[in-house]
Amino acid sequence: MKHLDEALNQTQADQFGRASAALLTQGAQSLPAGIKDRLHAARMKALSMRKAEKVRVQKPVFAGITGNFSSSSNGMWDTVSWTAPMLVLIFGLIGIAQWQNDSRITDIAEVDAALLTDDVPPDAYADSGFLAFLKNGPLSDSEDSASQLSSSK
C-alpha cells in the first residue's frame, strides 16, 4: 500500500512539473530577449547542479529452499553463514560431553583402584561396623597397646 501511495505521489508530482513547465514556456514567449537569455542561463545552471536521480533496479526474486524469498545471488553463502557456526556449536557440545564422560570414567577408575589396592577388604566398606573401625581403628589400638607395653616395663 505504501508503494502505491509513493507511486501516485510521484505520478502527481511529474504531472504538476510538466504543467508548470508548459505554463512557464508559454509565459516566457512574451518576455523581452534579455530576460529570456537570463532565464535560459539560470535554467542551465540549475540543471547542471541538480542531484543525480536514483535509478531503481529490480532484481529477480525467487523462493529458496527454506521458503523465504531472496535473491539467488547469495543463497548458498547465506545458508553456509548460519550452518557453519551451528555445526561448530554442535560438535563443540559433543566434544565437551565426551570429555566429561571420559573424566567421570577416569575418576571412577581411580576410586576402584584405590579400593582394590587398599589394606581394607572391599567387604568391610559394606559392613555397618566399618565407621566404628575407622573411628577406633588400628591407630587407637596401637596407641593403647604401646601405652600398655610402656606401663608394664
Side-chain angles (χ1 to χ4, degrees):
M1 199 63 188
K2 191 174 190 179
H3 295 291
L4 183 62
D5 290 339
E6 289 176 7
L8 285 177
N9 290 338
Q10 186 66 31
T11 305
Q12 290 172 347
D14 288 343
Q15 288 174 351
F16 176 76
R18 286 188 189 104
S20 299
L23 286 173
L24 288 172
T25 303
Q26 287 176 355
Q29 292 179 5
S30 63
L31 292 175
I35 295 176
K36 282 183 185 180
D37 291 338
R38 287 191 310 207
L39 284 176
H40 180 69
R43 181 181 286 174
M44 290 301 128
K45 183 177 179 183
L47 287 175
S48 68
M49 299 185 76
R50 75 176 181 170
K51 293 181 181 177
E53 292 182 21
K54 293 182 181 178
V55 178
R56 286 188 159 187
V57 177
Q58 293 283 340
K59 290 184 178 180
V61 177
F62 302 105
I65 295 172
T66 60
N68 295 334
F69 290 96
S70 65
S71 173
S72 62
S73 62
N74 292 333
M76 184 181 79
W77 293 113
D78 288 341
T79 304
V80 169
S81 69
W82 70 267
T83 55
M86 264 319 213
L87 288 173
V88 169
L89 177 68
I90 289 170
F91 283 121
L93 290 174
I94 290 171
I96 290 171
Q98 186 68 33
W99 174 71
Q100 286 180 339
N101 193 26
D102 289 345
S103 176
R104 187 176 58 84
I105 289 172
T106 303
D107 291 343
I108 291 172
E110 287 176 6
V111 169
D112 287 346
L115 284 175
L116 293 173
T117 58
D118 196 12
D119 292 338
V120 179
D123 292 338
Y125 290 106
D127 188 12
S128 61
F130 181 65
L131 186 58
F133 170 75
L134 289 177
K135 286 183 181 177
N136 303 323
L139 293 178
S140 60
D141 291 342
S142 63
E143 288 174 1
D144 290 340
S145 62
S147 62
Q148 288 175 356
L149 286 175
S150 62
S151 61
S152 62
K153 288 187 181 178

